[in-house]
Amino acid sequence: MAKDGSLGPADSDSVQIQKGPLSSHRVSNDVESSHVVLSEETAAVIDSAAEKALCRKFDFRLLPVLAIMYLFNALDKGNLGNAQTAGLSKDLNFQSGQYNQIVGIFFVPYVLFAPPLAMLGKKFGPARVLPLLMFCFGSFTLLTAATTNFGGIFALRWFLGIAESAFFPLVIYYQTTFYRRGELARRLAIFYAASNIANAFSGLLAFGVFRIKSSLVDHPWRWLFIVEGSVTVCFSIFAFFYLPRSAAEARFLNEEEKALAYRRIQVDSSSIVNEKFNLKESLKIFRRPTTYGFLIIEICLGVPLQAVSLFLPQIVQRLVTDTVTINLYTVAPNITGAVMLLILAFTSDGLRIRFPFVCLGFAFTFVGFIIYAALPDVHSQVRVAYFATFMMCWGTSAPSVLLSTWYNNNVAHEGERLTLTSVGVPLANLMGLVASYAFQEKDAPKYAPALITTACFGATGCLVAASLGLFMLWDNRRRNRRQGVNLTAKDVPTLQLRDGPRVEEFRWFL
C-alpha cells in the first residue's frame, strides 16, 4: 500500500479502509495530466473531466458488447411467441394448454438456479461466466429448431431457463464494478434497451423468416431458432476473449486510469472493491425489512413485464388478422419502449432519484392494460387500442432497470448486492408463470381476464414503490435531524456503508 494511503489496482482485492465519518484523509493522483483529489469523506466527483474520459472508455468498450449479448438473451427467451403465431402448436401437435406449459416451465429453473449460478459468477468472474452462459442458451435455442414433439421442446425450455437464469443479475453486478451509483441507471438502460430492440427485431426477423420458401425445413418457424441460435453461439466466443475481468485488468486503461477506476467504486459503489464472496455474510441482506419491499415490487413488475415480453404478438393479434403483419405490428411499441426507458433513466441519473420514475412506469402499465381491456371493439377504435400497446411497453421497460438500479444503489456490500439481485430479478421472471397461465387460449382474442390481472399488478407495484420511497425520504430526514446535519446519499462514501442502514451515516439513495 502506498504511503499516502491510496490503493492501486494491485491492492484492491479484499481491502477495506476504515475511516470515520468526518475523516479529512485525502489522496492525490495524477490522471490524464490533471491534478485529481479524491476525498474519502465524500462520494462527490472531484475531477469531472478525468471521470468523464474514463466513463467514455467504459461506454465504448463495454456497453456495446453487453447490449448485444443481452439482445441475443432476450431474442432466445422471447422467440416462442413469434413461432406460435406461425403455427408452432399446430405443427408439433400440442394438446390444449401445452403451449402455456412450455412457456411457464422456463421460469422454474430460471428462479431455482439464478442464485447459485450468480454466486459462481462472482467467484469466477462475470467476464468469463457470462459468455459461457450465452454459449449454452444459444445452443439450446439452436436445438429447438430440431424438436418434433412437446416433450423435446419442453425439456429444452427447462435447460434454457437454467442457462439464462443468472445472466441479467451478473450483468448488473458487472456494471456496478465499473460505474458510480449515479451513473448506473443510464448505462443499464442502454443495456436493457437491447431487450426492447430484441423484441422489435424479433418481430422484423420473424416477418422475414416466415416468408422464406425452402424445402430444407418443414416449417418456417424453425428458421427463427436456427438463425438466432447460431449467431448467439458465435458472439459468445468473441465475448469470452474480449470482456475484461475488472477495471484493474482492462487492457484499454493505463495505470492512472485503473487507480481512478478503483477509487470511484470504493467511494460510490462498494464498501470493499472486488471482495471475495462469502455466502453467510451475503445472506444478511434478508435481515433488512426494505429488502422485502423491493422483492414485492419485483413481483408486481414481473407480471406486466412477462406479459408484454411473451404475449405482445397475441395481444396485437386482436387488431390484425394476417400472421406476418402481427409480428410487424409489435416493432413500433417495443422501439418506443426503449426510447421511454432511456428518457426516464437519463432523467433519473441526472436528478439522482429513482422511486418517482419507477412509479411512473407502473402507472403507464396500469393505464395501457386498462384501456386495452376496456375497449369493446378495437377495430372501431384501432388507434386508441394500438396506442395502449405502446403504453404497455413504456411501463414495463423503465421500472425493470430503475428498480434494479435502486436497490443496487442502496447496498454497498458486493456479496449482498449480488445476492439480492440474483433473487429479485428471477423472482420478477417467475411471474411469467402467472402471465403464461393468465393468457388462456379460451380467452382469445380479447384476453380480458389476463389484461385486468396485469393492470392490477401494475397498480399495486406503483403503490408499494411510492410507499417505500416515501419511507426512505422520511428516514433520511430523521437521520439528519438526529445528527444535526443535512446529508444525502452522495455525501457519504460507500466504503463506510458496509453494514447498511445500521450505520448512523447511512443515507438512502432515493
Side-chain angles (χ1 to χ4, degrees):
M1 184 178 294
K3 291 181 181 180
D4 66 354
S6 64
L7 294 175
D11 305 307
S12 65
D13 289 344
S14 300
V15 179
Q16 183 178 15
I17 296 179
Q18 300 290 343
K19 293 289 174 187
L22 302 177
S23 169
S24 61
H25 183 76
R26 303 174 76 84
V27 182
S28 297
N29 290 308
D30 186 46
V31 180
E32 296 187 351
S33 302
S34 300
H35 186 67
V36 181
V37 181
L38 298 173
S39 172
E40 291 176 2
E41 69 181 36
T42 180
V45 175
I46 304 300
D47 189 314
S48 178
E51 295 215 10
K52 285 181 179 178
L54 183 64
C55 282
R56 279 196 298 270
K57 285 195 172 185
F58 291 150
D59 291 345
F60 285 111
R61 300 289 187 130
L62 296 179
L63 284 186
V65 175
L66 292 174
I68 292 172
M69 291 175 74
Y70 192 60
L71 184 147
F72 288 121
N73 175 273
L75 279 176
D76 293 348
K77 179 168 58 178
N79 52 20
L80 206 60
N82 298 113
Q84 174 68 357
T85 64
L88 174 74
S89 295
K90 181 180 178 181
D91 296 336
L92 297 185
N93 301 312
F94 286 0
Q95 302 299 315
S96 177
Q98 286 190 328
Y99 175 75
N100 297 84
Q101 291 178 35
I102 64 170
V103 171
I105 192 59
F106 171 90
F107 300 101
V108 178
Y110 194 96
V111 172
L112 294 177
F113 288 90
L117 286 179
M119 293 168 190
L120 287 174
K122 167 68 173 167
K123 179 177 177 62
F124 295 104
R128 293 297 171 264
V129 175
L130 284 170
L132 290 175
L133 292 176
M134 185 180 184
F135 182 87
C136 290
F137 64 69
S139 299
F140 295 135
T141 298
L142 196 55
L143 289 171
T144 304
T147 55
T148 58
N149 53 45
F150 169 76
I153 199 168
F154 187 86
L156 284 171
R157 290 288 294 181
W158 171 274
F159 289 111
L160 185 68
I162 295 175
E164 295 204 4
S165 61
F167 194 84
F168 192 44
L170 278 177
V171 169
I172 295 174
Y173 169 71
Y174 187 52
Q175 291 199 49
T176 65
T177 63
F178 289 93
Y179 293 107
R180 286 175 174 265
R181 290 180 294 175
E183 300 164 347
L184 190 59
R186 74 193 81 165
R187 270 77 187 189
L188 282 178
I190 293 171
F191 158 78
Y192 192 81
S195 174
N196 296 80
I197 295 170
N199 291 332
F201 179 69
S202 181
L204 285 173
L205 184 62
F207 175 77
V209 165
F210 295 161
R211 297 171 71 92
I212 295 176
K213 305 298 182 182
S214 173
S215 59
L216 296 177
V217 299
D218 53 354
H219 305 295
W221 53 262
R222 295 193 189 275
W223 283 116
L224 196 63
F225 296 107
I226 292 171
V227 172
E228 293 178 3
S230 301
V231 180
T232 301
V233 168
C234 292
F235 195 83
S236 69
I237 298 171
F238 163 76
F240 183 85
F241 294 101
Y242 179 83
L243 292 177
R245 289 178 178 268
S246 66
E249 298 180 54
R251 293 187 297 271
F252 53 84
L253 298 182
N254 59 39
E255 292 305 314
E256 289 79 10
E257 289 169 331
K258 290 177 181 179
L260 177 60
Y262 169 80
R263 300 295 296 173
R264 281 163 34 89
I265 301 307
Q266 189 179 46
V267 299
D268 200 12
S269 184
S270 300
S271 55
I272 302 176
V273 182
N274 296 334
E275 181 179 9
K276 291 183 178 179
F277 184 80
N278 183 300
L279 179 60
K280 184 177 181 181
E281 287 193 357
S282 299
L283 291 176
K284 291 180 181 178
I285 188 65
F286 296 107
R287 296 180 182 177
R288 299 189 190 181
T290 52
T291 294
Y292 299 97
F294 284 125
L295 293 180
I296 291 171
I297 301 171
E298 286 280 20
I299 290 172
C300 294
L301 169 66
V303 176
L305 180 66
Q306 296 305 322
V308 170
S309 176
L310 297 171
F311 294 100
L312 186 59
Q314 283 76 21
I315 294 172
V316 171
Q317 196 167 19
R318 186 181 173 192
L319 303 176
V320 291
T321 55
D322 180 59
T323 298
V324 175
T325 310
I326 290 170
N327 290 290
L328 201 57
Y329 266 59
T330 64
V331 174
N334 280 301
I335 292 295
T336 60
V339 173
M340 182 60 71
L341 165 62
L342 294 173
I343 292 172
L344 295 184
F346 274 73
T347 307
S348 175
D349 265 359
L351 298 176
R352 290 183 66 91
I353 189 168
R354 308 297 184 206
F355 82 89
F357 298 99
V358 174
C359 295
L360 180 60
F362 276 116
F364 283 143
T365 295
F366 173 74
V367 173
F369 278 97
I370 284 295
I371 289 176
Y372 202 84
L375 293 175
D377 181 11
V378 294
H379 295 289
S380 63
Q381 296 176 289
V382 67
R383 291 182 179 179
V384 175
Y386 194 42
F387 179 74
T389 65
F390 282 68
M391 295 193 73
M392 294 175 194
C393 292
W394 298 348
T396 54
S397 301
S400 180
V401 168
L402 294 175
L403 177 58
S404 298
T405 306
W406 189 15
Y407 57 69
N408 272 271
N409 287 164
N410 283 294
V411 183
H413 188 291
E414 289 188 348
E416 290 184 358
R417 193 162 68 216
L418 178 66
T419 301
L420 177 55
T421 306
S422 67
V423 172
V425 172
L427 187 60
N429 281 274
L430 179 64
M431 293 301 102
L433 286 172
V434 177
S436 63
Y437 285 100
F439 284 83
Q440 296 288 328
E441 290 183 11
K442 62 183 177 65
D443 297 322
K446 293 185 177 181
Y447 296 107
L451 296 174
I452 294 170
T453 299
T454 307
C456 291
F457 275 92
T460 304
C462 184
L463 291 174
V464 176
S467 299
L468 185 58
L470 291 174
F471 162 75
M472 291 179 175
L473 183 63
W474 171 81
D475 193 47
N476 280 354
R477 290 177 177 175
R478 180 184 63 85
R479 290 170 183 262
N480 281 338
R481 285 197 303 270
R482 190 163 58 191
Q483 292 180 274
V485 295
N486 186 25
L487 298 177
T488 63
K490 69 178 181 180
D491 300 317
V492 186
T494 50
L495 62 89
Q496 298 177 6
L497 303 179
R498 181 178 174 80
D499 294 325
R502 288 180 292 175
V503 178
E504 190 67 22
E505 291 74 29
F506 180 88
R507 295 296 184 275
W508 296 102
F509 197 112
L510 302 174

